Amino acid sequence: MATTVRRAVLTLPAAPLGPENPLPALRPLDEMHVVDDRDRSGLPRDMARQIGYEPLATVLPVRILDGYGRDRVPSGLDAVVIENDRLRATVLPGLGGRIHSLHHKPTGRELLYTNPVLQPADFALNGAWFSGGIEWNIGATGHTTLSCAPVHAARVPAPDGGEMLRLWEWERLRDLPFQVDLWLPEDSDFLHVGVRIRNPHEHTAPVYWWSNIAVPEGERTRVLAPADEAWHFGYERTLTRVPVPGAGSVDRTYPLRGDFPADYFYEVPEGARRWIASLDEDGHGLVQTSTDLLRGRKLFLWGSGPGGRRWQEWLTEPGTVGYAEIQAGLARTQLEHIPLEPGADFSWLESYGPLSADPRAVHGDDWSAARAETERRLAEALPRADVDAAYAAWRPCADNEPGEPLATGSGWGALEVRRGKYKLPGTPFAESTLGEQQAPWLELLDLGSFSEPGRAAPPGPSLVSPHWRDMLETASAEPLTEYHLGVAQWHAGDRAQAVRSWERGLALAPSRWPLLRCLAVAAGEGGQRDRAADLYTEAFDDLCAERRDDGDAWTSATAALGREAMEALLAAGRPEAARTVWAGLCAAVRQRGRFRLLEARLLIAEGDRAAARAVFSEGFEVADLREGAEILDEVWAELTDEPLPDRYNFRMRPRT
């Protein structure tokens, strides 16, 4: 059959994402992949430099997604299917352009780990993320903020005259447009993926990219890459060089042989072909290869310990097969960012397909022989020269204008293109995509000021990049302007000026709680616990007085502010005030797992350990438990010396 691109609907049990958290993300980035400055001294010079190159302080201007739960209902997800007579790829444009499935027709094998459910969890930089398939991670160290966001999609002419699928969006953490072109030549066993990231600005931009591929794990599944060494990163937050396949009796190329979750970033030699494969006990599986710009290769394993297995159950369903991740990135490790010059781009081609190799060699004791066998079979299935030729054929097509639209992303790209008057052939950001969230910023762009809100409501998203900050500084000093200006100044690191802007806005604001909350965060980050507690109390009281209804926006604002207020009050040793906030939350919010945990902490602070222990005995699930978080261990340890029950054990590192 000729290659086709068509719409489809994928039905999965899914937990709804819920509304965005309306509170701007002012706090430092909660990202596990961080290395202390003191630990960089022994690293290669280029790696150390890139680890220290413009790491993010917050996820502004993106909002946090933490409104999901764990109740799943059958849901129809818009999908796009690209297939020929050999492969069928199912893509989810409403969820970051994730490839959900890559099915090899001649063998009937699914090459990826396909999650049977859609269960958000707190792994993305801005919260909601889900496991499985192939995801496109752009922005900064961690899972992209686009994990659960829509991207634009359309048909585009392919290099061979057929059709390919283009995905594109504006990445807001770094203000960069990017595209992903999925091209499946007729009669090919390999899906080609052309990627381009452009810097339309007049300044150098930090760039991050990792293609994250979930593959089924098994007792005899082995991950192979062209390397004899790797950089090991565990949740102890240290980066150390280790031998591959392992040290001593433990072979880390088998994902289930580790005890705790860990990353292995392979040291691929200069000039070596870039590839990584996951092969089962019979030597069958998936291989990913690319042109040379995509330098890094990585294995992430959950390990066989109780914490890793609990996370596996948490992200899917008990009794289903687990997964590991094989990945490919622009740098050697995910802790690094690469500079992209003004007006330049990064572009490369990746290829994904089936691979079969001699299992005796793949699983033998000779690592060099296992690598050589895998690379020989890859050369037979897809020669390196063919990948380079496919890239050369695709690159002129990257500017082809999209044809029939298949999905619509956000309006933020259209806003930036209008502001900057950028010319971006191949990735149009149509003004028709501008929506309610962009409307105030269009007004600022065209008229130089915001209109006063027509009704009481939580403020919309803030924009923080330098050009928007400049416009806010010259706009009339209305309370809403001062609110957004303070957020932009905070993002830029000018915290004292941010506080002054929020204080100016507070003097005339009809709605005080958003500004009070920002000032409370500033006080807390400055070590002023009592002042932060006072400001949070005032902010929560003001919100409750202003609140108009029980709609999603107000409920989300009340829950988010109530949680922060209670945590600040408990930190300041004020359980009575925290109890008052608790009473101001609606019953449905108090029943959420995150708030049951808060209730246990409040009961401990009140001296009622028996009641706090009863909360754990009754059972709760913190739907938005953060990757690497140890709060469940910590609260349990305040109650008892008994081992933490398995249902609460999400520990990702050894106890110290």
Side-chain angles (χ1 to χ4, degrees):
M1 61 179 291
T3 301
T4 60
V5 177
R6 58 182 172 85
R7 286 191 179 93
V9 175
L10 177 68
T11 301
L12 290 177
L17 283 174
E20 294 178 331
N21 184 325
L23 307 184
L26 302 176
R27 286 196 170 80
L29 193 65
D30 184 13
E31 167 54 36
M32 296 299 300
H33 292 80
V34 177
V35 174
D36 191 278
D37 290 346
R38 295 168 296 180
D39 295 331
R40 296 182 198 168
S41 58
L43 301 178
R45 185 174 300 176
D46 64 328
M47 182 186 292
R49 182 177 63 251
Q50 290 174 172
I51 287 175
Y53 175 51
E54 295 202 27
L56 284 185
T58 74
V59 296
L60 290 168
V62 178
R63 285 181 154 184
I64 302 297
L65 286 173
D66 59 3
Y68 51 86
R70 293 188 56 81
D71 293 329
R72 298 189 287 261
V73 295
S75 304
L77 307 176
D78 289 337
V80 178
V81 175
I82 176 170
E83 69 178 314
N84 62 9
D85 58 352
R86 312 285 297 176
L87 279 179
R88 180 172 62 248
T90 303
V91 183
L92 302 177
L95 295 164
R98 181 84 58 102
I99 297 180
H100 173 75
S101 165
L102 188 61
H103 179 78
H104 187 234
K105 296 180 180 181
T107 60
R109 292 203 305 268
E110 173 57 50
L111 303 181
L112 304 174
Y113 166 76
T114 58
N115 199 331
V117 303
L118 176 60
Q119 177 55 61
D122 192 2
F123 277 67
L125 287 165
N126 65 327
W129 172 87
F130 63 103
S131 64
I134 304 173
E135 61 176 312
W136 317 113
N137 285 301
I138 181 173
T141 298
H143 291 283
T144 178
T145 61
L146 295 167
S147 293
C148 292
V151 298
H152 303 281
R155 301 177 196 269
V156 183
D160 59 2
E163 289 185 324
M164 65 181 177
L165 171 64
R166 174 163 300 158
L167 309 169
W168 74 99
E169 195 37 282
W170 193 279
E171 200 288 308
R172 301 179 65 209
L173 296 182
R174 303 300 194 181
D175 258 343
L176 299 176
F178 73 99
Q179 70 191 80
V180 178
D181 288 354
L182 306 177
W183 169 34
L184 188 55
E186 192 172 349
D187 300 324
S188 174
D189 279 319
F190 282 83
L191 175 70
H192 294 320
V193 180
V195 182
R196 178 169 62 169
I197 303 170
R198 287 187 277 197
N199 180 7
H201 306 297
E202 296 179 354
H203 59 267
T204 300
V207 171
Y208 171 92
W209 181 279
W210 283 80
S211 301
N212 185 354
I213 309 135
V215 291
E217 65 179 7
E219 291 291 342
R220 292 279 292 166
T221 295
R222 192 176 206 185
V223 172
L224 302 104
D228 292 316
E229 291 184 308
W231 293 93
H232 168 263
F233 184 86
Y235 285 78
E236 304 87 346
R237 301 192 179 191
T238 57
L239 191 63
T240 55
R241 193 192 294 258
V242 297
V244 176
S249 61
V250 179
D251 186 333
R252 303 297 188 194
T253 62
Y254 290 90
L256 281 173
R257 295 186 185 178
D259 293 327
F260 288 92
D263 297 326
Y264 292 91
F265 300 102
Y266 294 110
E267 188 68 57
V268 179
E270 286 293 335
R273 184 175 185 182
R274 277 52 164 146
W275 61 270
I276 189 167
S278 174
L279 303 179
D280 65 16
E281 60 183 354
D282 298 317
H284 303 309
L286 172 84
V287 66
Q288 187 270 2
T289 187
S290 71
T291 48
D292 288 353
L293 183 67
L294 203 64
R295 174 183 184 178
R297 292 298 186 274
K298 171 195 163 182
L299 163 65
F300 168 76
L301 54 86
W302 283 107
S304 59
R309 304 330 297 170
R310 183 71 180 103
W311 271 118
Q312 291 265 36
E313 292 179 353
W314 187 255
L315 295 170
T316 177
E317 288 188 326
T320 57
V321 65
Y323 74 97
E325 294 170 359
I326 58 176
Q327 303 186 23
L330 283 173
R332 275 184 287 189
T333 74
Q334 287 179 326
L335 288 70
E336 302 168 68
H337 300 93
I338 310 294
L340 179 59
E341 298 301 316
D345 68 60
F346 287 143
S347 62
W348 65 90
L349 187 111
E350 307 178 41
S351 299
Y352 297 82
L355 192 72
S356 293
D358 184 345
R360 294 167 298 179
V362 167
H363 298 290
D365 294 334
D366 187 335
W367 172 246
S368 296
R371 279 177 42 194
E373 164 66 7
T374 307
E375 190 151 9
R376 182 179 69 82
R377 294 301 183 103
L378 171 59
E380 293 173 356
L382 184 66
R384 186 175 188 178
D386 286 5
V387 176
D388 292 336
Y391 171 73
W394 165 75
R395 191 62 180 81
C397 299
D399 284 350
N400 287 349
E401 288 304 311
E404 179 193 356
L406 297 171
T408 303
S410 78
W412 296 114
L415 180 68
E416 293 300 332
V417 167
R418 179 163 170 177
R419 184 205 58 79
K421 299 180 172 57
Y422 301 124
K423 303 297 182 184
L424 299 169
T427 55
F429 292 94
E431 291 207 359
S432 61
T433 62
L434 293 166
E436 182 180 356
Q437 289 192 334
Q438 293 81 41
W441 299 94
L442 275 175
E443 189 174 23
L444 178 65
L445 182 62
D446 293 342
L447 303 177
S449 64
F450 294 118
S451 296
E452 284 299 309
R455 58 185 175 85
S462 298
L463 296 183
V464 297
S465 51
H467 38 261
W468 291 109
R469 189 170 72 247
D470 290 345
M471 276 186 267
L472 289 166
E473 287 174 345
T474 58
S476 59
E478 302 297 331
L480 184 59
T481 303
E482 297 288 5
Y483 165 79
H484 287 303
L485 175 58
V487 174
Q489 290 165 332
W490 182 272
H491 175 263
D494 192 349
R495 296 191 168 187
Q497 190 58 55
V499 168
R500 285 192 286 271
S501 295
W502 291 326
E503 288 175 341
R504 283 196 306 269
L506 193 61
L508 297 174
S511 179
R512 292 168 51 84
W513 67 265
L515 292 150
L516 288 165
R517 181 265 176 178
C518 290
L519 290 168
V521 173
E525 291 299 307
Q528 300 172 287
R529 285 189 173 185
D530 286 334
R531 176 164 169 74
D534 290 341
L535 288 164
Y536 267 121
T537 300
E538 189 178 355
F540 189 75
D541 289 345
D542 188 73
L543 183 151
C544 292
E546 182 181 309
R547 178 175 171 155
R548 294 293 181 266
D549 55 47
D550 294 324
D552 284 347
W554 283 110
T555 299
S556 179
T558 307
L561 185 57
R563 171 183 167 181
E564 289 187 9
M566 286 188 66
E567 289 173 342
L569 290 163
L570 290 173
R574 302 186 190 178
E576 290 184 6
R579 176 63 68 182
T580 300
V581 173
W582 175 261
L585 299 170
C586 68
V589 169
R590 290 200 296 263
Q591 288 304 308
R592 296 177 188 175
R594 171 65 64 180
F595 288 87
R596 295 301 310 281
L597 178 60
L598 259 178
E599 181 184 19
R601 293 171 60 191
L602 174 58
L603 289 165
I604 291 171
E606 292 172 331
D608 194 345
R609 294 178 179 273
R613 178 69 181 264
V615 172
F616 277 85
S617 299
E618 290 165 10
F620 60 89
E621 295 183 320
V622 182
D624 61 332
L625 185 68
R626 184 67 177 163
E627 173 190 13
E630 297 176 358
I631 184 66
L632 290 168
D633 307 62
E634 294 163 2
V635 176
W636 179 258
E638 291 187 58
L639 294 172
T640 178
D641 293 331
E642 297 174 19
L644 182 69
D646 288 345
R647 68 177 298 176
Y648 301 119
N649 186 357
F650 293 88
R651 193 168 188 86
M652 300 181 80
R653 61 174 180 166
R655 296 184 185 277
T656 55

